[in-house]
Amino acid sequence: MHTEEDMRVLIAEDEGRLGKFVKAGLEESGFDVDWVKNGDEAFDRLTHREYDAAVLDIMMPGRDGLSILRQVRSSGNSVPILLATARTSLDERVEGLHLGADDYVSKPYFVEELAARLTAVVRRRDGGATSVLQRGDITLDLVRHEASVNGSTVQLTSREFGLYEYLMRAPGRIRTRTQLLEHVWGYDFDPETNVVDVAIRRIRRKFADVGGDAAIESVRGVGYRFQGGCAS
Amino acid sequence: MTPRTRIGINRKLVRMFVPATLLLLFVFAALSWFFLQDGGYLASGSRAERPDLSAGPPCFEDGGPPPLPWEKRSQSAMDERPNPHGLGIRRHRLPLVLCAGLFGLALLGIGSYLFWLLVQREMDRAAARSARFTADVAHELKTPLAVMQSVVEHAIRHSDGNAGVERLGSDVLDEVRRLKSLVTRLLLLAQSDAGTLRLNMEKLDLSELVKLSAEDLSMITGDDPVETNIEDGIIVMADRSLITQVVQNLVSNAVKYNRHGFTISLCLVREGDVAVLSVSNGVDPVAPPDVDRIFDRFYRGDTARGSKLEGAGLGLSLAKEVVVASGGQISASIEGDRIVLRAAIPVA
């Protein structure tokens, strides 16, 4: 089973500034990152080195992401691959998934979101997706979509569960409202009223109802974070 | 699957030109053979008894073809000749005129078909150019947005608890999200206009999807009451990502424009072979929104909630494009002091 700490990922991104921040962000999240700026180099690395996962931009100089994916898969390499695309084109997403991509992120994506997706695809590939997440006295059953605190069950709705899981996976790290909204609802949902705040209030109330604490800390004017400093 | 249906139907019609043209050519050949063969209709008829035609240049053994109208000499000679069969000279020409007409029609058919192929090729090229253009615009707009977003995200992560930086960063991220959403919507509309909007159709549980939106509705309405009636197990063929946007747009639209204190209702029922999603909210009966323009781009009606509404007014027009491309229909109607938006999508 991999943890983020020993995951080696390849990032193929031709936009220099973006690549720099993505590399830095993933490294802060504990990934070991190799960053290349063109498709031919990405293909070369993928065929000669062992990676736990790769993020391929669809549009880049040299080979494009889709052809690399096709070649890598036809050579029998099943390394988890995420496609990143700046186009809205659904065709590419569909084609990518057909070609054997494990997931896709559309640009602009949050590095935090990319890290979460990378962890998820590697976990899935390992076949050992944890079914339970535990932090302190809080347990999250990822299969039954249930939370429990001190042994008491807290029933969460789909949205609440998605939100809580995202926060719980990165204790101590701020998630802005925008990041939470995008992760749980998608960025096209623009309700104006702050749906994230309402959902967090509901989660807290549900935990309080069974005498527990949801362990979510508000960061005023920014967002929320799950209490605790380091991932367990 | 693709929105090329309209062009596809025309193509089918045009393909009929080929058999039609071949048929015309065949009829033309058959008639020519019948009328012009040795001992055929013309030969055995009046032509055999035609008087002196040698005044004209002898081209054929039997005296040559019938003279043309501008051959005045021959014309007058023919007009005067006896006609034992009682057929006037104009009748003799009739088969030839008929043949010429048919031949003309055949040429017209072939010409039209070739012309259509040309038009079709140009249309395909234009669609490809347009798709390419929208893809390029998307890339050009989204790359700086991606950089901006990653810089701000980085800044927040390294703010060391500096509340000012965190708050400013958070505000910028929210605006970046709005821009992303706007760019995406404009591009989807552009693709729809260019006929290049491709849907990734799959069977999906619309009931589950609408239930999620019902949960969102309960969270975003504030004090306004909510009424939901969602029939279980309605499966439709649609593009998951786009149909999710449709439902979300309809729901957030109802919340935005609801008259304060009025109930917002969200229903999904199956009526025959369509799934009908209806979302309704209260409106001011004195100045109701213009239902004829509600799906227009950038249309934003008067609001019951004041003027601080955000959004470009693209949500409903996009919803319409997606529903229509999915083989469904969408409509808006005013019923008393409520506006009802209904989307009907064929069930799988």
Side-chain angles (χ1 to χ4, degrees):
Chain A
M1 169 80 54
H2 289 91
T3 60
E4 289 174 6
E5 281 68 31
D6 60 10
M7 260 171 66
R8 186 177 179 79
V9 295
L10 175 76
I11 306 290
E13 168 59 62
D14 64 307
E15 166 58 51
R17 288 159 298 171
L18 188 58
K20 195 174 80 185
F21 284 107
V22 171
K23 181 172 161 45
L26 286 180
E27 279 171 351
E28 281 164 32
S29 300
F31 292 90
D32 190 357
V33 182
D34 268 4
W35 168 34
V36 295
K37 288 185 175 180
N38 74 67
D40 296 330
E41 209 178 328
F43 180 70
D44 191 52
R45 295 273 182 110
L46 270 175
T47 42
H48 293 104
R49 294 190 196 180
E50 283 274 313
Y51 286 99
D52 294 305
V55 183
L56 303 177
D57 196 352
I58 286 187
M59 260 174 131
M60 59 182 162
R63 262 172 265 214
D64 65 282
L66 287 177
S67 31
I68 297 176
L69 174 65
R70 197 177 295 121
Q71 283 170 307
V72 165
R73 287 290 183 257
S74 64
S75 70
N77 188 340
S78 64
V79 59
I81 290 178
L82 262 88
L83 290 174
T85 172
R87 298 192 190 181
T88 48
S89 173
L90 294 162
D91 308 3
E92 287 175 339
R93 185 197 73 192
V94 176
E95 196 186 342
L97 295 179
H98 279 309
L99 286 174
D102 294 77
D103 202 353
Y104 73 96
V105 280
S106 50
K107 280 185 184 174
Y109 51 80
F110 284 110
V111 178
E112 305 266 6
E113 181 70 28
L114 183 64
R117 300 272 192 106
L118 277 171
T119 317
V121 292
V122 173
R123 219 185 294 127
R124 208 159 62 211
R125 185 55 59 96
D126 284 352
T130 40
S131 56
V132 171
L133 210 58
Q134 175 115 33
R135 304 266 187 260
D137 52 6
I138 296 169
T139 311
L140 208 57
D141 187 325
L142 300 172
V143 178
R144 295 164 66 193
H145 273 217
E146 262 177 14
S148 61
V149 56
N150 298 325
S152 312
T153 306
V154 181
Q155 293 291 349
L156 297 176
T157 62
S158 314
R159 298 294 199 208
E160 291 163 357
F161 190 87
L163 201 55
Y164 199 66
E165 185 194 346
Y166 191 46
L167 283 166
M168 201 171 165
R169 282 198 182 275
R173 191 165 285 169
I174 298 176
R175 300 284 194 217
T176 69
R177 285 193 182 80
T178 310
Q179 284 173 325
L180 292 167
L181 188 68
E182 280 197 27
H183 180 81
V184 181
W185 283 269
Y187 63 77
D188 279 311
F189 187 50
D190 199 353
E192 292 177 27
T193 49
N194 217 321
V195 65
V196 174
D197 294 337
V198 178
I200 295 281
R201 254 201 317 275
R202 288 185 174 189
I203 294 170
R204 282 176 171 156
R205 200 184 308 134
K206 284 183 176 176
F207 273 84
D209 283 348
V210 296
D213 179 10
I216 299 172
E217 189 187 325
S218 304
V219 183
R220 220 162 70 85
V222 181
Y224 299 91
R225 76 173 138 220
F226 196 86
Q227 286 166 4
C230 56
S232 55
Chain B
M1 166 139 180
T2 66
R4 306 291 302 276
T5 337
R6 201 184 54 215
I7 295 172
I9 288 168
N10 286 347
R11 272 186 172 158
K12 269 183 206 159
L13 281 175
V14 163
R15 272 190 211 113
M16 288 167 62
F17 269 112
V18 177
T21 307
L22 287 175
L23 187 71
L24 280 172
L25 279 172
F26 177 75
V27 172
F28 169 69
L31 284 173
S32 307
W33 174 79
F34 179 71
F35 286 118
L36 298 177
Q37 64 178 314
D38 255 4
Y41 177 78
L42 287 180
S44 63
S46 56
R47 186 178 290 205
E49 296 161 30
R50 195 172 293 166
D52 179 28
L53 277 175
S54 56
C59 301
F60 288 74
E61 281 174 17
D62 64 352
L68 295 166
W70 53 86
E71 293 172 338
K72 278 186 180 163
R73 203 156 47 102
S74 311
Q75 182 77 41
S76 56
M78 286 176 81
D79 283 345
E80 288 156 15
R81 79 196 152 81
N83 191 343
H85 296 277
L87 291 170
I89 188 68
R90 287 176 204 287
R91 288 288 293 279
H92 291 299
R93 282 203 193 139
L94 192 64
L96 279 182
V97 170
L98 203 66
C99 288
L102 282 172
F103 186 65
L105 274 176
L107 280 181
L108 195 70
I110 294 170
S112 308
Y113 182 65
L114 291 177
F115 179 69
W116 177 259
L117 284 183
L118 202 72
V119 168
Q120 197 63 52
R121 202 179 60 181
E122 276 311 302
M123 279 171 77
D124 285 347
R125 281 185 184 166
R129 270 199 302 272
S130 164
R132 181 79 219 159
F133 175 74
T134 49
D136 288 348
V137 169
H139 187 261
E140 294 310 315
L141 286 174
K142 286 192 168 188
T143 302
L145 279 176
V147 175
M148 201 193 293
Q149 183 173 283
S150 62
V151 171
V152 176
E153 193 186 12
H154 186 82
I156 292 178
R157 218 182 303 127
H158 293 93
S159 63
D160 296 327
N162 183 330
V165 172
E166 287 171 356
R167 219 170 298 165
L168 277 175
S170 169
D171 288 348
V172 174
L173 286 185
D174 205 34
E175 294 308 316
V176 170
R177 181 182 61 81
R178 290 224 168 82
L179 268 173
K180 280 194 283 187
S181 172
L182 187 63
V183 168
T184 308
R185 285 178 181 193
L186 282 171
L187 284 165
L188 286 171
L189 285 169
Q191 285 176 345
S192 177
D193 288 349
T196 52
L197 177 67
R198 274 186 55 182
L199 306 179
N200 176 31
M201 299 297 241
E202 58 173 310
K203 270 191 182 178
L204 58 93
D205 191 333
L206 189 61
S207 304
E208 285 305 312
L209 214 145
V210 175
K211 276 182 198 164
L212 262 184
S213 275
E215 189 193 334
D216 296 339
L217 182 60
S218 75
M219 286 194 271
I220 61 178
T221 47
D223 305 330
D224 297 342
V226 172
E227 194 181 83
T228 57
N229 172 26
I230 300 162
E231 204 177 304
D232 275 326
I234 297 184
I235 312 289
V236 295
M237 280 295 278
D239 182 299
R240 183 179 293 279
S241 140
L242 292 178
I243 217 76
T244 302
Q245 277 193 49
V246 169
V247 180
Q248 287 185 340
N249 285 341
L250 291 178
V251 164
S252 55
N253 183 75
V255 174
K256 267 180 216 173
Y257 293 95
N258 188 34
R259 196 172 168 198
H260 187 64
F262 276 58
T263 303
I264 296 171
S265 79
L266 174 65
C267 300
L268 176 71
V269 289
R270 188 183 165 140
E271 287 178 8
D273 52 4
V274 286
V276 179
L277 171 73
S278 53
V279 186
S280 84
N281 61 275
V283 291
D284 182 356
V286 182
D290 185 350
V291 288
D292 294 328
R293 291 183 51 216
I294 203 162
F295 296 108
D296 287 357
R297 285 165 206 183
F298 300 105
Y299 174 78
R300 294 166 65 184
D302 283 338
T303 71
R305 297 197 156 191
S307 57
K308 64 176 204 62
L309 281 181
E310 290 163 357
L314 292 174
L316 289 185
S317 45
L318 183 61
K320 184 179 179 179
E321 300 290 341
V322 172
V323 169
V324 170
S326 313
Q329 286 175 324
I330 194 164
S331 64
S333 58
I334 299 284
E335 295 174 7
D337 55 3
R338 304 185 65 76
I339 181 166
V340 186
L341 297 184
R342 265 191 205 88
I345 301 158
V347 293

